[in-house]
Amino acid sequence: MSPSDTAALTSPRPARLSGGTVAEMITAAVVAAIVSAVGLFAFGRVSWPAFPSSNVTQAVTTVGQVVTIAVLALCVIAYRARRWMRAATVLSWAGLSGFVTVTLGMPLSATKLYLHGVSVDQEFRTEYLTRLTDSAALHDMTYADLPPYYPAGWFWIGGRLANLLGLDGWEMFKPYAIASIAVAAVIALVLWTKLIRADWAIVVGLVTAALVVAYGSAEPYGAVIAVLIPPVLLLAWGGLHRPGESGRGGWGAVAGTGVFLGIAAAFYTLYLGFTAFAVTLMALVAAGLAVRENGSWRGAITPLVRLVAVAVISGIIALVVWLPYLLDAVRDSAADSGTATHYLPDAGAHLPLPMFQFSLAGALCLLGTIWLVWRATTSRRAQVLGIGVIAVYLWSLLSMAFTVLGGTLLSFRLEPVLILLLGTAGVFGFFEFSRRLVLATSENPRVKASLVVLGLAGLVGFSQNIPQVLASDITVAYTDTDGDGVRADQRPPGAAAYFADVDRIITEHRPGERHDTVVLTSDTGFLSFYPYYGFQALTSHYANPLAQFRERTETIESWSDLEAPDQLVTALDELPWRAPDVFVFRKSADGYVLRLAEDVYPNDPNVRRYTVTLPAQLFDDPRFTIDEVGPFVVVTRVG
């Protein structure tokens, strides 16, 4: 390693963000989107076997990964040789986006569904995308006449793209999820190139992309934020802590940090909260260091003022998505706090320690932990990543303590971020320990070659195992029934195969736009495929706090005690919410069945499901039409 390499490892190099960087990010995003679109289109032209029942797609995935890694390796060589650097830049964007696309796209190539199909969490995410495909207006995914509670940013962009391309929301979910992660990984690469040497940035960008695909891609709208957190923290440190400067520089980094936090607020609330917490912690550390350097408390003013600037910038951007909900929440005295934080799985009751996992990722995290401790006082990167790691553990402890107050901070969802932070540190540790080993052996070329081969072998070994890490989620994508009524594994489809018939029946009785109809059903997957509004959400954890989930459930239960159609019609007309126009029940010998859910936190599982049966005679009236299809009874109110 050359002296310039050594200097770059130890150089403070405060981060800066310029207009040219933003333009480069936009260009890189376009390249990544094109590569991802071309790759997914090509995968879709071939009739592949289902991933769970064949090793063919795994084999092709491995080939694609090796090819893209080789492309990125050539880019590293070009950068180190300082030749064809512009071509290497564009090629690095294409190579990294190709890596993400082939790693996720090829195992899912024989299904139209994304990881975890349309089950559990992915059901309401698909419903959200379907809602915003139907309309560009910010609106709750389920309930009529309510603004969104869950941040709409990622879903709104995907919905607009689906609308532009003429695709249904559920069908857009997979390609959009994959392409958006590819784009975010490439944007992170561009940012890394502004913070560290470009050749190292490619390696760091590739490793972090592989880690986020392996451990965070099931939540694509979170993955696109998570992959950016490590470089953004380094960017923030460059704006908050600038030793030896008068305080005039670094405002580009401050603005960039604020913009990122604003986007995070529009995409994923938890990652906003964590990143804001970490940046605040960094500002306090920077303030303490400034006081020590200046010998006066006045030194703390600059980093704290910059923290306020970050908050103002991010707050203004966040209001684009959050203002409608906040205004309604202020006006609606009936709004409750919701139960989104009422979840404490086993992983949330323990501190995550990925560095002790017996795996390649665990080894990388262990190396990163050692490097962070070793370089804590001499490397800006170690300081930043170390503060980020500390912030994760503090958040986890706060989350556990918060259980006493009746909720959590969902700290278990920060484990992918922790792995990213430690994995990034591990790459820097590998660089530095390799440098010392090379110097100790008088720069023996065989030692250099051995280290390069070791690094490449580890990267390929981890990458080719990513589909196995995601195996359970991939399997669900093949076993769930999609919006066309098809199971990709060619097995008999589930009840969702009848959703098209249910939709046909509803549109026959209620011609017009689907979003003009409210449907009450416990088969809420139906709302993931068709943009009807729902009367009740899947569970309270996904329900808008303005919707009064508990009161709606109690109302539905009360209908089971009614005896005559007139009583039901009166009850529907007196509802404080928009009444259901259509009921989609399951048939039973006792009547028409709905499956409801109740929050039973702090128990784990945190949801109790139970059934409510409405007497069939409640709908034996000219004001209702009754149609049966498959396991469903479709009751439409016509008068």
Side-chain angles (χ1 to χ4, degrees):
M1 192 172 286
S2 67
S4 62
D5 292 342
T6 304
L9 274 168
T10 57
S11 170
R13 191 180 178 184
R16 294 176 173 85
L17 193 65
S18 65
T21 301
V22 175
E24 188 174 341
M25 287 179 175
I26 294 172
T27 306
V30 171
V31 171
I34 292 172
V35 169
S36 190
V38 170
L40 292 172
F41 178 80
F43 298 160
R45 296 305 93 193
V46 179
S47 180
W48 302 100
F51 182 87
S53 58
S54 173
N55 293 320
V56 169
T57 47
Q58 171 69 75
V60 178
T61 300
T62 300
V63 171
Q65 289 173 328
V66 171
V67 169
T68 54
I69 290 172
V71 168
L72 291 169
L74 289 175
C75 295
V76 170
I77 293 171
Y79 274 120
R80 293 190 69 83
R82 298 187 179 279
R83 301 179 63 184
W84 309 296
M85 294 179 67
R86 288 187 179 180
T89 297
V90 177
L91 200 58
S92 68
W93 301 341
L96 185 57
S97 55
F99 174 84
V100 173
T101 301
V102 75
T103 302
L104 283 172
M106 181 50 63
L108 294 169
S109 57
T111 176
K112 290 186 177 181
L113 298 179
Y114 187 61
L115 297 172
H116 216 68
V118 283
S119 295
V120 196
D121 289 12
Q122 221 67 307
E123 179 182 303
F124 89 81
R125 294 167 189 153
T126 307
E127 180 186 355
Y128 209 173
L129 191 58
T130 294
R131 171 69 53 227
L132 294 176
T133 298
D134 179 64
S135 171
L138 290 179
H139 205 287
D140 185 78
M141 67 189 90
T142 299
Y143 299 102
D145 308 320
L146 287 183
Y149 172 67
Y150 284 90
W154 185 86
F155 300 93
W156 188 88
I157 295 171
R160 294 300 83 212
L161 288 173
N163 185 275
L164 179 65
L165 297 173
L167 294 175
D168 292 332
W170 71 267
E171 196 171 5
M172 186 65 181
F173 197 105
K174 185 187 83 170
Y176 174 54
I178 296 171
S180 63
I181 295 174
V183 168
V186 170
I187 291 175
L189 170 60
V190 173
L191 186 52
W192 277 119
T193 61
K194 308 305 174 184
L195 303 172
I196 59 177
R197 287 173 57 107
D199 52 343
W200 291 341
I202 291 174
V203 178
V204 173
L206 177 56
V207 171
T208 53
L211 290 172
V212 81
V213 168
Y215 300 109
S217 55
E219 286 187 312
Y221 61 107
V224 299
I225 298 299
V227 75
L228 285 160
I229 288 177
V232 165
L233 291 183
L234 188 54
L235 179 72
W237 192 234
L240 295 170
H241 179 53
R242 304 180 68 83
E245 294 194 10
S246 61
R248 291 189 294 271
W251 283 101
V254 170
T257 304
V259 169
F260 172 80
L261 288 177
I263 294 172
F267 276 55
Y268 196 72
T269 309
L270 177 63
Y271 286 170
L272 160 70
F274 164 74
T275 310
F277 177 68
V279 170
T280 301
L281 192 61
M282 292 167 59
L284 294 176
V285 173
L289 294 174
V291 169
R292 187 178 68 177
E293 179 183 356
N294 297 325
S296 168
W297 64 268
R298 297 181 185 275
I301 295 177
T302 297
L304 295 180
V305 167
R306 294 183 176 211
L307 177 64
V308 172
V310 168
V312 170
I313 294 170
S314 61
I316 292 172
I317 297 173
L319 286 177
V320 173
V321 169
W322 278 98
L323 186 60
Y325 175 82
L326 294 175
L327 291 176
D328 269 29
V330 170
R331 289 193 296 260
D332 189 353
S333 60
D336 58 44
S337 61
T339 59
T341 63
H342 286 191
Y343 188 35
L344 184 63
D346 181 67
H350 302 88
L351 290 176
L353 298 170
M355 69 286 291
F356 295 129
Q357 294 177 358
F358 190 73
S359 64
L360 287 171
L364 184 66
C365 290
L366 179 59
L367 180 61
T369 303
I370 295 171
W371 181 78
L372 287 176
V373 175
W374 184 37
R375 293 299 307 276
T377 59
T378 56
S379 166
R380 289 180 67 90
R381 287 183 284 279
Q383 292 164 359
V384 170
L385 297 173
I387 292 173
V389 169
I390 291 171
V392 171
Y393 285 118
L394 288 176
W395 188 279
S396 298
L397 291 172
L398 287 172
S399 180
M400 296 179 206
F402 195 63
T403 58
V404 177
L405 301 178
T408 75
L409 298 179
L410 303 176
S411 61
F412 69 97
R413 294 200 183 277
L414 290 181
E415 189 164 358
V417 176
L418 177 62
I419 293 173
L420 279 170
L421 293 169
L422 290 175
T424 302
V427 176
F428 290 131
F430 183 80
F431 287 155
E432 189 152 353
F433 296 141
S434 296
R435 176 182 66 85
R436 291 179 177 273
L437 182 58
V438 168
L439 292 176
T441 57
S442 302
E443 298 196 6
N444 189 318
R446 286 179 291 185
V447 173
K448 289 184 178 180
S450 298
L451 290 169
V452 170
V453 170
L454 178 63
L456 285 173
L459 184 56
V460 171
F462 176 79
S463 299
Q464 69 179 0
N465 192 54
I466 291 176
Q468 306 310 316
V469 175
L470 298 173
S472 60
D473 287 343
I474 293 173
T475 297
V476 177
Y478 281 91
T479 56
D480 272 3
T481 302
D482 65 25
D484 292 330
V486 174
R487 265 181 59 155
D489 62 359
Q490 305 304 312
R491 301 290 180 85
Y498 294 95
F499 284 167
D501 292 323
V502 173
D503 173 63
R504 175 183 53 78
I505 292 168
I506 295 174
T507 54
E508 286 175 357
H509 294 300
R510 293 184 59 83
E513 298 294 336
R514 292 186 177 93
H515 58 238
D516 292 331
T517 297
V518 175
V519 177
L520 171 58
T521 179
S522 51
D523 287 271
T524 48
F526 177 68
L527 306 179
S528 298
F529 299 138
Y530 301 98
Y532 297 101
Y533 283 114
F535 182 76
Q536 185 63 306
L538 176 66
T539 75
S540 63
H541 308 88
Y542 307 132
N544 193 316
L546 297 173
Q548 298 175 282
F549 181 93
R550 181 175 54 82
E551 289 81 356
R552 287 177 184 250
T553 298
E554 292 172 352
T555 298
I556 295 170
E557 291 176 359
S558 70
W559 295 340
S560 64
D561 297 325
L562 302 180
E563 298 177 351
D566 286 341
Q567 292 177 314
L568 177 62
V569 170
T570 300
L572 293 175
D573 291 341
E574 293 177 351
L575 285 174
W577 321 284
R578 184 170 166 182
D581 304 297
V582 178
F583 302 79
V584 179
F585 298 107
R586 292 289 184 120
K587 292 185 294 187
S588 79
D590 299 324
Y592 301 153
V593 178
L594 289 171
R595 194 178 184 208
L596 303 179
E598 177 187 13
D599 174 40
V600 292
Y601 177 84
N603 294 335
D604 183 29
N606 61 328
V607 175
R608 182 180 74 88
R609 298 191 182 277
Y610 61 99
T611 60
V612 171
T613 302
L614 274 62
Q617 64 265 26
L618 289 180
F619 304 96
D620 186 11
D621 187 275
R623 288 169 288 186
F624 298 98
T625 64
I626 301 175
D627 298 272
E628 295 188 10
V629 55
F632 301 113
V633 177
V634 183
V635 179
T636 307
R637 186 177 178 183
V638 293

